[in-house]
């Protein structure tokens, strides 16, 4: 799929039916009310010259190049700012407008370097194109007067250059930063001839508020803002549409190449999740895929103390298969298992769980979602009947009140955050429930109506208090509840109890009762109220309870089943939704159907030709316990660094060390590899062919930009191992795997590569009832029939502060880095976040003698590490916060083994700690488990 230049209609599309008929250069066209003349002309097949106009931004009308004549009107109006009218007759190529356009172009070029042949944007410059379109052959004005040709170039950003000598001050970059990204980092400084684009008060781009999303670079019509990769490699000549492999937003990109070399990633305008926008990671941080640290050859060793030996694929696969079979013969069928990866495609994850169930002969398969969003699957299944979010991302544009709970969208899901901020600027109300003052609480043109700064671990008490207000003040949507829900009376009686009131819970949560009551009323009384949440909800001992609590609140207020509402998990990794959909949990087949269901199991048995077990297999923590007991002896790890992803690392590493065979499949040598006997090199997303499923249930195609550098696709490796173990698994192409997934999974029944290529993407369920997918779930009824209210009692965590550990540590992400940083640390993103810092409130810092920048020791009951302190009032007194992207700090060394009661999701967000100064040297861990370059918790 190749599309280097996408069509640009000049101004955004207007909603509604096409009812206004106009004539452009004699061509009839009918468009929606409010459409610009410029867009109508483009739709009629008439290209009107333009420079300041582009269809991702509202019309600005500054360049005067798109002027036209309209019968019955005086002058030459700008077609970008002129709306159509019924019966309008437009002429775009009269002698008058042609003369005006040439004059305008002469003025632009009189203050622009005439270096087209050596300019990196040669062939991709709109100014160059428009000069040709208007027929300009010479410029009458010389360079004798004042000009901007000697303006100094800004090369501070690691990914793009800013050359003001080539700027035509069209304001597209400034408008993109505001309208699309919502950061407002750029401005036009000065007036008239002195006008210039500025990233701040005389600042360089790198020192400004710019978040390097690339919107300004993409909007620039000249080479003023230019990717450094284009300067170095040349202009791309072809493109492949694929899907980003970072967070759960699932942005579509055009991977643009010159020959077989990737030049740049450009956000795809028709991408269902991102619609032409991007963040710094997806746009620029792809260099890890070709980094010299990549593992490219299989390696084996007999003992973990032996050196690695490179082997060919045949030997590596035979070694894995032979040793797994030998372990089973000596220790039983259940003595081996596998862990799937949320960074792999649906097809790769599907064949892995198939290998476990059909070739291994057990259900010992689990996924990294165990340590991030497993409470989402459990909680939404219990209440709504489906283990996924309810809306598409576009839905937020219809929300009147947005409640963000335990999520930091601007850092963790920035492209969706831009959508959300756009709606907030339009007037939607915002409630933030988070111990930390995230950027959404207050940023340019956005301010939360309420920030409920609760104490960590008290989520359930807060959600019950919100529900208490809804029920006791008569704010529930009784008609919705009566028609579509069950269990309301019992739940309402529970939340109405005095001990769930905001006044009673204030001493537990720290949230003022008046503030909580106001937030509850705002959400409940909104025509459309939407909830978005993240790991600050799920990574708690009551994670599943909290998910059910949010579902209860949404149902009570009737906020399910239409646009602008719903309960929406912000999934962390690119395919964490898909890895769960594909049957990666030990108790479920694809589509979240229990292995004990005879009818479901028969479907798989008939297709796979194997008798399958009805008993659930081992979860990841169970595998570790069984390994230490001597019953679990072999583990296949697909793309996860479990020696850093789970709590109580001493327990994890002891379990790995006790196994006879650990197989690791990954891009880089990671910490788990210390305990591995076989290393199988993985493929980057640029080498994959398949699908990812994002947080909104959107199934996106992933297309290979280059062949796998290892010589094998990851799905082929799994199939080869299963075949070598005696269970033949053969596919010629991943599309055949998707066809099998559709055959056995009702929610994927209609999904095929042909459909995805036709529509771009679909959101499951996609079947005969919804042949083009389901953007909004539970429209006419819940998946389970009626929505189920569940009583959600607040139970305090066992992790308590003490005199020895008086502070609470919570963790989160930062925009420029991703999870353990294995990918982003191998890119220019290190320029923004070179180390993890510990945020400490000024009061807590003062009483401990800690100054900003000091190196401090962070200690919990299970471990300790050191890192530099950042004195900040983002956290309330008594709470400290850090990220977990850099191995030198090893934040997960201190987290405990306490986990969610239903799913064993670890309580990463609540760890009792102490902090104290240790000097002014750079932070480093004191635990051996964090020596390797790729350490830290891999979390969703």
């Amino acid at each position: 799929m190749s599309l280097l230049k996408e069509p640009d209609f000049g101004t955004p599309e207007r909603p509604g039916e096409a009812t206004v008929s106009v004539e452009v250069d004699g061509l009839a066209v009918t468009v929606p009310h409010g459409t610009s003349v410029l867009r109508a002309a483009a739709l009629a097949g008439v290209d009107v010259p333009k420079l300041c106009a582009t269809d991702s931004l509202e019309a600005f009308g500054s360049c005067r190049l798109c002027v036209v004549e309209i019968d019955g009107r005086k002058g030459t109006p700008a077609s970008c700012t002129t709306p159509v009218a019924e019966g309008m007759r437009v002429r775009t190529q009269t002698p008058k407008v042609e003369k005006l356009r040439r004059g305008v172009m002469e003025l632009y070029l009189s203050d622009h370097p005439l270096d087209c042949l050596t300019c990196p944007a040669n062939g991709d410059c709109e100014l160059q194109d428009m000069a040709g379109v208007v027929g300009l052959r010479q410029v009458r004005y010389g360079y004798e007067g004042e000009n901007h040709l000697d303006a100094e170039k800004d090369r501070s950003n690691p990914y793009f250059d800013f050359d003001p000598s080539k700027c035509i001050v069209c304001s597209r970059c400034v408008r993109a930063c505001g309208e699309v990204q919502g950061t407002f980092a750029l401005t036009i400084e000065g007036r008239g001839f002195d006008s210039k684009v500025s990233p701040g008060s005389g600042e360089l781009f790198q020192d400004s508020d710019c978040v390097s999303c690339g919107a300004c670079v993409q909007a620039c019509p000249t080479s003023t803002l230019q990717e450094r990769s284009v300067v170095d490699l040349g202009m791309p000549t072809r493109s492949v549409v694929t899907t980003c492999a970072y967070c759960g937003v699932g942005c579509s990109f055009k991977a643009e190449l010159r020959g077989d070399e990737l030049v740049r990633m450009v956000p795809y305008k028709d991408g269902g999740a991102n619609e032409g926008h991007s963040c710094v990671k997806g746009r620029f941080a792809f260099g890890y895929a070709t980094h010299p640290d990549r593992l490219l050859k299989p390696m084996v060793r007999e003992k973990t103390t032996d050196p690695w030996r490179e082997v060919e694929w045949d030997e590596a696969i035979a070694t894995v298969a032979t040793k797994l079979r030998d372990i089973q013969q000596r220790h039983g069928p259940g003595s081996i298992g596998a862990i799937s990866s949320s960074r792999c495609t649906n097809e790769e994850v599907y064949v892995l769980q198939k290998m476990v169930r059909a070739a291994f002969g057990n259900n010992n398969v689990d996924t990294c979602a165990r340590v991030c969003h497993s409470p989402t699957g459990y909680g939404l299944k219990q209440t709504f009947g489906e283990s996924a979010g309810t809306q598409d991302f576009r839905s937020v544009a219809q929300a009147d009140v947005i409640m963000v709970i335990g999520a930091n969208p601007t850092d963790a899901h920035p492209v969706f955050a831009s959508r959300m901020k756009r709606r907030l600027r339009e007037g939607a109300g915002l409630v933030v429930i988070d111990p930390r003052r995230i950027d959404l609480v207050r940023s340019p043109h956005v301010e939360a109506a309420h920030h409920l700064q609760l104490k960590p671990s008290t989520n359930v008490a807060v959600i019950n208090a919100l529900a208490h207000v809804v029920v006791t003040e008569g704010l529930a949507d009784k008609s919705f509840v009566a028609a579509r829900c069950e269990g309301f009376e019992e739940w309402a009686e529970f939340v109405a109890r005095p001990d769930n009131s905001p006044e009673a819970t204030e001493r537990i949560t720290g949230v003022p009762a008046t503030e909580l009551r106001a937030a509850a009323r705002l959400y409940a009384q909104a025509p459309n109220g939407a909830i978005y949440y993240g790991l600050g909800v799920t990574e708690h001992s009551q994670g599943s309870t909290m998910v059910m609590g949010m579902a209860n609140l949404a149902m009570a207020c009737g906020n399910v089943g239409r646009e602008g509402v719903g309960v929406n998990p912000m999934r962390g990794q690119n395919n964490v939704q898909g890895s769960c959909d594909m049957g990666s949990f030990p108790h479920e087949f694809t589509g979240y159907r229990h292995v004990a269901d005879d009818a479901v199991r028969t479907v798989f048995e008939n297709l796979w030709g194997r008798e399958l077990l009805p008993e659930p297999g081992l979860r990841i923590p169970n595998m570790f316990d069984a390994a230490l007991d001597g019953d679990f002896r072999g583990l296949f790890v697909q793309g996860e660094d479990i020696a850093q992803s789970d709590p109580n690392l001493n327990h994890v590493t002891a379990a790995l060390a006790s196994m006879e065979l650990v197989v690791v499949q990954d891009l880089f040598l990671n910490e788990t590899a210390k305990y591995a006997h076989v290393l199988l090199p993985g493929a980057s997303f640029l080498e994959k062919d398949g699908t990812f499923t994002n947080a909104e249930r959107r199934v996106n195609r992933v297309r290979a930009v280059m062949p796998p550098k290892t010589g094998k696709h990851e799905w082929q490796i799994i199939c080869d191992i299963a075949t070598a173990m005696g269970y033949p698994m053969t596919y010629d192409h991943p599309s055949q795997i998707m066809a099998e997934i559709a055959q056995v999974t009702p929610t994927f029944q209609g999904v095929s590569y042909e459909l995805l290529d036709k529509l771009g993407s679909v959101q499951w369920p996609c079947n005969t009832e919804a042949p083009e997918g389901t953007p909004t779930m539970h429209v006419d009824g819940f998946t389970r029939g009626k929505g189920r209210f569940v009583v959600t009692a607040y139970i305090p965590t066992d992790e308590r502060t003490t005199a020895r550990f008086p502070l609470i540590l919570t963790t989160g992400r930062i925009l420029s880095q991703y999870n353990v940083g294995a990918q982003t640390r191998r890119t220019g993103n290190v320029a923004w976040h070179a180390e993890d810092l510990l945020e400490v409130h000024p009061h807590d810092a003062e009483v401990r003698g800690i100054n900003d920048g000091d190196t401090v020791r962070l200690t919990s009951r299970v471990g300790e590490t050191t890192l530099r302190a950042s004195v900040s009032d983002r956290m309330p007194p008594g709470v400290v916060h850090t990220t977990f992207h850099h191995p030198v700090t090893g934040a997960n060394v201190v987290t405990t083994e306490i986990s969610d009661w239903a799913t064993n999701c670890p309580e990463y967000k609540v760890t009792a700690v102490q902090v104290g100064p240790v000097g002014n040297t750079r932070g480093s861990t004191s635990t051996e488990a964090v020596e390797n370059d790729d350490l830290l918790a891999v979390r969703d």
Side-chain angles (χ1 to χ4, degrees), residues 647-687:
N648 195 358
L649 289 181
N650 289 333
H651 180 74
V652 174
T653 54
L656 289 170
S658 71
M659 295 185 197
E660 295 181 32
L661 178 67
V662 175
V663 182
V664 170
Q665 181 174 322
D666 214 318
L667 296 177
F668 304 106
L669 193 68
N670 61 25
E671 180 66 7
T672 307
K674 285 185 176 181
Y675 304 91
H677 306 87
V678 180
L679 286 177
L680 303 178
S684 76
F685 81 108
L686 295 173
E687 301 150 44

Side-chain angles (χ1 to χ4, degrees), residues 477-516:
D477 187 336
K478 294 181 179 179
S479 60
F480 179 92
V481 170
R484 299 193 48 182
C485 304
E486 62 186 15
F488 176 78
E489 296 302 328
E490 180 184 358
W491 171 79
E493 185 277 327
F494 162 74
V495 296
R497 294 174 187 171
D499 57 349
N500 285 321
S501 70
E503 290 73 19
T505 57
E506 181 175 341
R507 61 180 177 80
I508 299 170
T509 67
V511 177
T514 54
E515 188 76 0
L516 191 145

Side-chain angles (χ1 to χ4, degrees), residues 230-394:
V230 173
V231 176
D232 295 339
L233 302 174
M235 194 59 62
T237 56
R238 66 185 181 93
S239 70
V240 178
V241 177
T242 190
T243 304
C244 179
Y246 279 114
C247 78
V249 174
C251 295
S252 297
F253 279 87
K254 291 186 301 172
E256 297 191 348
L257 301 101
R258 185 178 181 87
D260 60 355
E261 191 167 25
L262 181 62
V263 176
R264 63 184 176 188
M265 298 289 288
V266 177
Y268 187 41
K269 286 167 63 174
D270 285 341
N274 59 317
E275 296 181 314
H277 191 35
S278 60
C279 80
V280 61
K281 294 188 287 291
R283 183 69 158 89
F284 297 116
F286 53 84
Y288 72 89
T290 53
H291 196 277
D293 286 353
R294 278 280 303 272
L295 294 173
L296 299 178
K297 297 282 289 185
M299 295 192 290
V300 301
R301 59 185 179 183
E302 283 299 315
K303 297 179 294 183
T304 57
T305 54
D306 293 340
W308 287 108
R309 177 173 62 90
E310 282 192 359
V311 298
E312 297 301 320
W313 276 110
D314 287 348
E315 182 179 346
I317 288 166
T319 299
V320 173
T322 300
K323 290 193 172 186
L324 287 174
R325 275 292 181 224
D326 178 64
I327 290 171
Q328 285 189 306
Q329 289 171 2
R330 291 183 288 108
H331 298 282
S335 59
I336 62 174
I339 298 172
S340 72
S341 173
S342 293
R343 290 185 289 142
C344 290
T345 65
N346 287 317
E347 294 76 6
E348 291 163 347
V349 172
Y350 176 84
V351 295
L352 181 77
Q353 62 87 32
K354 180 179 179 179
M355 175 180 73
V356 171
R357 294 190 160 102
F360 291 9
N362 61 49
N363 287 318
N364 294 338
V365 61
D366 208 351
T367 182
C368 70
R370 174 69 56 205
V371 300
C372 58
H373 266 287
S374 50
T376 286
Y378 180 87
L380 294 182
K381 184 81 168 180
Q382 296 299 311
T383 50
F384 294 166
E386 195 65 82
S387 300
T390 60
Q391 315 295 126
D392 65 359
F393 290 146
R394 291 188 184 98

Side-chain angles (χ1 to χ4, degrees), residues 378-620:
Y378 180 87
L380 294 182
K381 184 81 168 180
Q382 296 299 311
T383 50
F384 294 166
E386 195 65 82
S387 300
T390 60
Q391 315 295 126
D392 65 359
F393 290 146
R394 291 188 184 98
S395 172
V396 75
Q398 307 301 320
D400 299 296
V401 170
I402 300 167
M403 187 175 284
V404 178
I405 309 177
N408 187 4
T410 56
D411 279 48
H413 303 89
V415 173
F416 172 72
S418 294
R419 283 186 188 269
M420 180 184 289
K421 288 192 291 184
R422 190 178 310 142
R423 180 57 184 155
L424 294 171
R425 293 195 303 272
E426 292 170 348
L430 174 64
V431 176
V432 174
I433 304 177
D434 200 295
R436 188 167 178 259
R437 192 183 72 246
I438 61 174
D439 287 346
L440 278 179
V441 173
R442 188 171 187 178
S443 57
H445 302 275
V446 169
E447 185 170 5
H450 305 284
H451 176 203
L452 309 187
Q453 197 169 27
L454 75 170
K455 296 176 182 177
S457 83
T458 64
N459 287 345
V460 173
V462 167
I463 204 73
N464 287 342
L466 291 168
H468 175 94
V469 176
V470 170
V471 170
T472 59
E473 295 189 6
L475 301 178
D477 187 336
K478 294 181 179 179
S479 60
F480 179 92
V481 170
R484 299 193 48 182
C485 304
E486 62 186 15
F488 176 78
E489 296 302 328
E490 180 184 358
W491 171 79
E493 185 277 327
F494 162 74
V495 296
R497 294 174 187 171
D499 57 349
N500 285 321
S501 70
E503 290 73 19
T505 57
E506 181 175 341
R507 61 180 177 80
I508 299 170
T509 67
V511 177
T514 54
E515 188 76 0
L516 191 145
R517 284 189 177 275
R521 292 165 187 151
L522 182 67
Y523 172 79
Q525 294 174 332
N528 289 331
I531 296 174
Y532 293 89
Y533 71 94
L535 303 185
V537 161
T538 56
E539 290 181 344
H540 285 275
S541 61
Q542 282 200 286
S544 294
T545 308
M546 181 60 181
V547 173
M548 292 187 290
M550 294 184 298
N552 290 337
L553 182 65
M555 288 188 292
C557 297
N559 281 328
V560 185
R562 63 184 184 278
E563 289 191 354
V565 298
V567 179
N568 306 283
M570 300 308 299
R571 301 281 194 167
Q573 293 197 68
N574 55 301
N575 200 38
V576 71
Q577 181 68 60
S579 68
C580 300
D581 298 340
M582 293 298 103
S584 286
F585 287 126
H587 65 292
E588 289 175 333
F589 291 117
T590 63
Y592 306 96
R593 294 163 297 160
H594 205 281
V595 295
D597 188 316
D598 292 341
V600 172
R601 200 169 61 257
T602 298
V603 170
F604 287 89
E605 288 177 336
N606 290 339
L607 182 64
W608 292 352
R610 280 288 191 275
E611 184 176 345
L612 304 176
L613 296 179
E615 298 85 15
L618 299 176
R619 296 176 175 180
I620 293 173

